[in-house]
Amino acid sequence: MTRLVSGLLLMTAAAVAADEWKMPDPARTVYLDLPDGRVVIELNPAFAPETVARFAELIGQGFYDGLPFYRVIDNFVAQGGDPAETREIEGGGRNLPAEFERDWNDDELVFVPAQAPDLFAPETGFIDGFPAARDPATGKVWLTHCYGTVAMARGNEPDSGTTDYYIVIGQAPRYLDRNLTVFGRVVTGMEHVQRIRRGPAKTNGVYEDPAKATDMVRIRLASEVPEDQRTVVRRVDTEDDSFKALLESRRDRQSEWFHHKPPEVLDVCQVPLGAEVLKSPANPHNAR
Amino acid sequence: MTRLVSGLLLMTAAAVAADEWKMPDPARTVYLDLPDGRVVIELNPAFAPETVARFAELIGQGFYDGLPFYRVIDNFVAQGGDPAETREIEGGGRNLPAEFERDWNDDELVFVPAQAPDLFAPETGFIDGFPAARDPATGKVWLTHCYGTVAMARGNEPDSGTTDYYIVIGQAPRYLDRNLTVFGRVVTGMEHVQRIRRGPAKTNGVYEDPAKATDMVRIRLASEVPEDQRTVVRRVDTEDDSFKALLESRRDRQSEWFHHKPPEVLDVCQVPLGAEVLKSPANPHNAR
């Protein structure tokens, strides 16, 4: 008899309704090809318009191709980019503005609540497939640092991001919220990201010899790849009633499996955001 | 110029003091050898005496050797064991008692506080290197489900655990606290655990064909391995003043890097528990 860790069973049951799926727009979908497989990232221009534009521009220039993940810390982040500034940015201009938070706007955004208060914010929830938080007192809303979050690194100044980005690969570092520009989220392929080689602990994860680090093979915008060679994914529609029901079933656990009923709270970063690959090209690394 | 994600820099600075290290007792240290490398697990008999005794007994019998990780869900758990009950347990007896929580005892336990209240518990902190939580109202204390937690799976009944165990590989599933017996923690080698192949999503991570799953190569108690062939590790001493200073520096972020000062809270599962391998045998897979 199989003894299972319960918990995700409810997720599976709630995730079958076809109407809860959404197909990310190819113009805001990125294929990050790693040696082990393809990672699909959804960009978020509603929160980080300038960073998304720059990232897409750099991708189009082939700026990132072959650059290593030069700082990789288990249970924290895998960071790539061009820290030594060896590559030219076509069109010039390096520093990106801070896009750490934005104003709430009822006409534009739909907030599906998860938790209030959360440990790190007055309110957490989901906005168009992304974990988010907001503060009713200030009217500000921001994307949270969760597993799979893609964000832009920076120096000491808020507006000092350029090309270096990171993917969160462990326990949500929520203390970074509103301190860095979150501009995307890994939708599928985190298992490939997890195979990126960790850097030396003594240098805080930074490779002294970048040749030992894991290279990104290639990165492309889905919309720039011919349609028959795209990886087609769908992810949960966080505004759908079935997702709201999933949230409720995880907040208020009814299963008899729970010997000790958990407190009726939700960690916004622990809610599984279901996604699946519907169609893969035969060899994604050859597809252009 | 390197643009870093800040945050862990403070950890590194606070972790250099030699007196904050502790060497886990070899009799409660497990080597889990995966195809990709060695994982070192510290067992916790103070919280799960019967489960630890059984696990050590099974290890001594070679019970787990070569068994696959038959249920692996990214950002959740990697689960191994013998779900089909194909193997005999020498000495008989299958079901393990629930060791979900225990009584607080001032003479025996030292609690180093992290957060009160936490989202999932009245109080969280660390007990002898393990993330934990307690409830002053009931006098109960328990080990929390964090990244790297090792726990025993079970069926519907609390006392139905047998041989199947799991390792948490993603965002802390704290709602499982007090519902399963946490009996250990990965001290080093989580990057190897992360390379375990994920199971199919359609079967909730369970391999229909176990041959496709990642095998454990071998598992041994450190004390049963000749001393010159052991992997020597040390991990942070959570009772040391330098660790308490680390907690404080993470709760109250003083660095000017923080554009938006985070709320003064700690996620007990997001505090890095430093550890390092001091000595590795040339080929751990051959060491006995």
Side-chain angles (χ1 to χ4, degrees):
Chain A
M1 196 187 77
T2 308
R3 281 167 182 82
L4 296 176
V5 187
S6 194
L8 277 205
L9 296 169
L10 298 167
M11 187 272 290
T12 314
V16 286
D19 56 351
E20 79 161 301
W21 298 100
K22 219 170 158 176
M23 318 271 285
D25 176 359
R28 61 179 225 185
T29 301
V30 166
Y31 301 148
L32 168 63
D33 288 339
L34 298 178
D36 191 57
R38 173 163 284 180
V39 180
V40 179
I41 294 169
E42 182 173 354
L43 302 175
N44 195 320
F47 278 78
E50 299 211 37
T51 307
V52 164
R54 158 74 62 86
F55 195 63
E57 200 181 293
L58 291 174
I59 287 172
Q61 294 175 12
F63 181 91
Y64 289 111
D65 291 348
L67 283 178
F69 285 89
Y70 66 86
R71 182 180 185 236
V72 189
I73 300 172
D74 190 67
N75 196 19
F76 189 43
V77 298
Q79 186 166 332
D82 181 30
E85 298 189 354
T86 59
R87 300 192 178 188
E88 285 292 312
I89 300 176
E90 287 169 35
R94 284 203 95 91
N95 282 18
L96 281 163
E99 298 178 301
F100 301 162
E101 59 185 3
R102 55 160 285 171
D103 291 324
W104 178 254
N105 182 338
D106 265 334
D107 297 332
E108 211 186 320
L109 304 172
V110 177
F111 192 85
V112 177
Q115 182 64 35
D118 165 87
L119 202 54
F120 287 86
E123 202 178 353
T124 63
F126 297 90
I127 299 174
D128 196 14
F130 283 73
R134 65 178 180 179
D135 184 349
T138 62
K140 296 289 184 187
V141 58
W142 58 93
L143 300 179
T144 54
H145 276 79
C146 293
Y147 185 78
T149 286
V150 183
M152 199 55 79
R154 65 166 170 92
N156 254 347
E157 297 308 311
D159 294 338
S160 58
T162 59
T163 71
D164 296 15
Y165 67 100
Y166 58 93
I167 305 173
V168 173
I169 60 171
Q171 182 71 10
R174 294 283 308 281
Y175 61 92
L176 297 177
D177 288 357
R178 282 190 278 183
N179 278 290
L180 294 140
T181 301
V182 175
F183 67 94
R185 184 176 82 76
V186 173
V187 174
T188 61
M190 274 303 292
E191 69 275 24
H192 307 314
V193 177
Q194 288 291 6
R195 294 180 79 94
I196 297 175
R197 277 189 298 278
R198 276 53 173 166
K202 281 178 186 174
T203 51
N204 202 22
V206 177
Y207 280 95
E208 283 163 357
D209 178 4
K212 290 187 178 159
T214 299
D215 277 359
M216 177 198 304
V217 174
R218 203 178 53 194
I219 182 163
R220 289 289 177 275
L221 264 186
S223 54
E224 290 173 358
V225 171
E227 238 176 278
D228 63 339
Q229 290 165 30
R230 291 183 192 162
T231 298
V232 181
V233 301
R234 60 181 189 180
R235 55 100 173 140
V236 70
D237 177 357
T238 54
E239 291 168 28
D240 192 87
D241 284 344
S242 57
F243 183 73
K244 294 174 189 166
L246 166 71
L247 292 181
E248 201 40 45
S249 71
R250 291 179 72 87
R251 184 198 322 277
D252 180 10
R253 301 277 182 173
Q254 295 294 340
S255 165
E256 284 183 11
W257 182 89
F258 284 94
H259 172 69
H260 177 90
K261 192 169 188 290
E264 293 187 19
V265 295
L266 279 178
D267 170 3
V268 71
C269 291
Q270 214 282 323
V271 174
L273 295 174
E276 58 179 356
V277 175
L278 297 177
K279 190 179 140 291
S280 260
N283 185 345
H285 284 201
N286 289 334
R288 272 196 181 268
Chain B
M1 196 188 77
T2 307
R3 280 167 182 80
L4 296 175
V5 186
S6 194
L8 277 205
L9 296 170
L10 298 168
M11 187 274 290
T12 312
V16 285
D19 56 353
E20 80 162 301
W21 297 102
K22 219 171 159 177
M23 317 272 283
D25 177 358
R28 62 179 223 184
T29 300
V30 166
Y31 301 149
L32 168 64
D33 287 340
L34 297 179
D36 191 57
R38 174 164 283 182
V39 180
V40 178
I41 294 169
E42 182 173 354
L43 303 175
N44 196 319
F47 277 78
E50 299 211 39
T51 307
V52 164
R54 159 73 62 85
F55 195 62
E57 200 182 293
L58 290 173
I59 286 172
Q61 294 174 13
F63 181 91
Y64 289 112
D65 291 348
L67 283 177
F69 284 89
Y70 67 87
R71 181 178 184 238
V72 189
I73 300 171
D74 190 67
N75 197 19
F76 189 43
V77 299
Q79 184 166 333
D82 182 31
E85 298 189 354
T86 58
R87 299 191 179 188
E88 285 293 312
I89 299 176
E90 286 171 36
R94 284 203 96 91
N95 283 19
L96 279 163
E99 298 178 301
F100 301 163
E101 59 185 3
R102 55 160 286 174
D103 291 326
W104 177 254
N105 182 339
D106 266 332
D107 297 331
E108 208 187 324
L109 304 173
V110 176
F111 192 84
V112 176
Q115 182 62 36
D118 164 87
L119 203 54
F120 287 86
E123 201 179 354
T124 61
F126 297 90
I127 300 175
D128 196 14
F130 282 73
R134 65 179 182 179
D135 185 348
T138 63
K140 295 289 183 187
V141 58
W142 58 94
L143 299 179
T144 54
H145 277 78
C146 293
Y147 185 77
T149 286
V150 183
M152 199 54 79
R154 65 165 171 90
N156 254 347
E157 298 306 313
D159 295 337
S160 58
T162 59
T163 71
D164 296 15
Y165 67 100
Y166 59 93
I167 304 172
V168 173
I169 60 172
Q171 181 71 10
R174 294 282 308 281
Y175 61 92
L176 298 177
D177 287 357
R178 283 189 276 184
N179 278 290
L180 294 138
T181 302
V182 175
F183 67 94
R185 185 176 81 75
V186 174
V187 174
T188 60
M190 274 306 290
E191 69 274 26
H192 307 314
V193 176
Q194 288 292 6
R195 293 179 80 92
I196 296 174
R197 277 189 298 278
R198 275 56 173 164
K202 281 180 185 173
T203 51
N204 200 23
V206 178
Y207 280 94
E208 283 164 358
D209 178 3
K212 290 187 179 159
T214 299
D215 278 0
M216 176 198 305
V217 175
R218 203 178 53 191
I219 184 166
R220 289 289 178 274
L221 265 187
S223 55
E224 290 174 358
V225 170
E227 239 175 277
D228 63 339
Q229 289 165 29
R230 291 184 193 162
T231 299
V232 181
V233 300
R234 61 182 190 180
R235 53 100 174 142
V236 70
D237 176 358
T238 53
E239 291 168 27
D240 192 88
D241 283 344
S242 58
F243 183 73
K244 292 173 190 165
L246 166 71
L247 293 181
E248 201 40 43
S249 71
R250 293 179 70 87
R251 184 199 321 278
D252 181 9
R253 301 276 182 175
Q254 295 293 342
S255 165
E256 282 182 15
W257 182 89
F258 284 94
H259 172 70
H260 177 90
K261 191 169 188 289
E264 293 187 19
V265 294
L266 280 178
D267 169 4
V268 70
C269 291
Q270 213 283 322
V271 174
L273 294 173
E276 58 179 357
V277 174
L278 297 178
K279 189 178 140 294
S280 260
N283 186 345
H285 283 200
N286 289 334
R288 269 195 183 268

